[in-house]
Amino acid sequence: MSNIIESASIDDIALYLQREEGLDAKQARKQAQQVIDGFLDMQEKGLIKGWYFDEQSHLELLPSDNALKIIANQK
């Protein structure tokens, strides 16, 4: 995908949460771990392939082919 500029590590997400939510480093790291855990759960269930920050610095999910098929069938 051309709009993927980097994958999002726990450190990237923690920094994002510090900047956007005003959390301190410890809180941001804890919440970032929860976010990553949720993403890993969705990945294990076959709902997403991964996650990344887009060009506007929004955290985005990369849906799996199966998820895209489900979405397309619901429209």
Side-chain angles (χ1 to χ4, degrees), residues 19-30:
R19 184 182 71 233
E20 296 297 320
E21 302 294 327
L23 300 177
D24 66 37
K26 187 176 180 179
Q27 290 174 318
R29 180 83 177 178
K30 183 178 179 180

Side-chain angles (χ1 to χ4, degrees), residues 1-17 19 36 39 49-62:
M1 294 181 79
S2 63
N3 63 338
I4 297 176
I5 58 172
E6 64 182 57
S7 61
S9 70
I10 190 169
D11 293 330
D12 296 330
I13 294 171
L15 287 173
Y16 174 82
L17 291 170
R19 184 182 71 233
I36 295 287
F39 289 169
K49 293 179 188 178
W51 52 92
Y52 60 95
F53 281 107
D54 68 11
E55 293 166 344
Q56 291 79 38
S57 298
H58 298 128
L59 189 56
E60 298 287 338
L61 300 178
L62 185 60

